[in-house]
Amino acid sequence: MKRLLITGAAGGVGRAMRPRLRDMAQTLRLADMLPITDADTHEETVLCDLNDAQAVREMVRGCDGILHLGGKSTEGDFETILEGNIRGLYNLYEAARAEGITRVLFASSNHTIGFYEQDQRLKTTDPMRPDSLYGVSKCFGEALASMYHDKFGIETAIVRIGSCFETPANHRMLSTWLSYDDFADLVACVFRAPKLGCPVIWGASANPAGWWESVGAEAIGWHPKDSSEIFRAQIEAMGPKPPADDPNSRYQGGLFTVEPIHQRQGGT
Ligand code: NAI
Ligand code: 15L
């Protein structure tokens, strides 16, 4: 691939992906609303707010694929989510359509299904049960990706990421953890597959404590290798698992299920 666009490249996952995706493309185009000042020679940077349609069009121009990580990544007020995750995603797909880009990896989230309880085992075809406005925005994103596939043939890997961090941080993440290496392998499989379609993929490592049926990515050759179990002793040493009625033990989405509806401070 000549040029791979990474949106949200200033964020945690974006920073972790940059070195791991070094050989995915001749050039990595790193985009974010925050400046990135440490670009390497094979990288170029673009400052872009996803809410700005014209800027998004320029951001995607000349790219061969899009790893879409940008947007509000936790619960927030509706306007912020509207700008980054709803209008922002619409702007991204419209720009991709106009510029002839046909493959995207969309970083969706486990918060599309966060109100399922932790003793439930889910398939990607189970109905959504979002736990937050953030989760609802990812449901919108999944629907938008599906429509752009059916109507315009743009292929998207809809990856419902669990918890993509260096290490799991609590008991819940022993079930949801996605290692950076497994995610980078998935990105490679998505952009190298001869045919992708628009699958929903559980973005989790091979965690024995996992809740999600591993479907959707076998066809493109992705088999996660890491396991959260190597961190179990460390997590258990931090303290006991919260009681069964604690949201972090009861619901797959954990504490997002008890987030209030936030109001934007200081007007719009
Ligand atoms: P992050 O919050 O560290 O990074 C997101 C980046 O998007 C930030 O650099 C931010 O400046 C940028 N951004 C936010 N609004 C924007 C806008 N309107 N225009 C342009 N850029 C904007 O999040 P992280 O952890 O790196 O996650 C990356 C993606 O993966 C996000 O879409 C998140 O929702 C999704 N995800 C992450 C999970 C995780 O465990 N890290 C779990 C599930 C989903
Ligand atoms: C997400 O969707 C968030 O982006 C991330 O910050 C974590 O909260 C993750 O889910 C999680 O559920 O652990």
Side-chain angles (χ1 to χ4, degrees), residues 8 10-14 32-34 48-51 68-73 83-84 107-110 134 138 161-165:
V13 177
D32 206 289
M33 69 194 300
L34 301 176
C48 174
D49 187 335
L50 293 161
N51 194 42
H68 183 55
L69 303 173
K72 178 74 178 147
S73 66
E83 290 163 8
S108 184
S109 171
N110 71 88
Y134 165 68
K138 294 294 187 180
I161 302 174
S163 305
C164 191
F165 299 105

Side-chain angles (χ1 to χ4, degrees), residues 223-250:
H223 302 282
K225 295 177 186 67
D226 290 324
S227 162
S228 60
E229 284 305 310
I230 58 168
F231 301 103
R232 182 174 288 279
Q234 192 178 310
I235 298 285
E236 287 175 351
M238 284 161 50
K241 189 172 179 192
D245 62 348
D246 184 292
N248 241 345
S249 289
R250 179 169 180 194

Side-chain angles (χ1 to χ4, degrees), residues 8-9 16 18 25 34 37 49 70 77 89 93 98 102 107 125 143 147 164 175 184 193 209 216 219 226 229-230 241:
R18 285 170 54 190
L34 301 176
T37 54
D49 187 335
D77 65 80
L89 198 69
Y93 274 98
T102 57
T125 48
M147 190 272 278
C164 191
S175 301
D226 290 324
E229 284 305 310
I230 58 168
K241 189 172 179 192

Side-chain angles (χ1 to χ4, degrees), residues 170-181:
N170 55 35
H171 288 270
R172 171 181 164 272
M173 289 192 196
L174 292 173
S175 301
T176 57
W177 186 59
L178 173 63
S179 73
Y180 289 148
D181 286 345

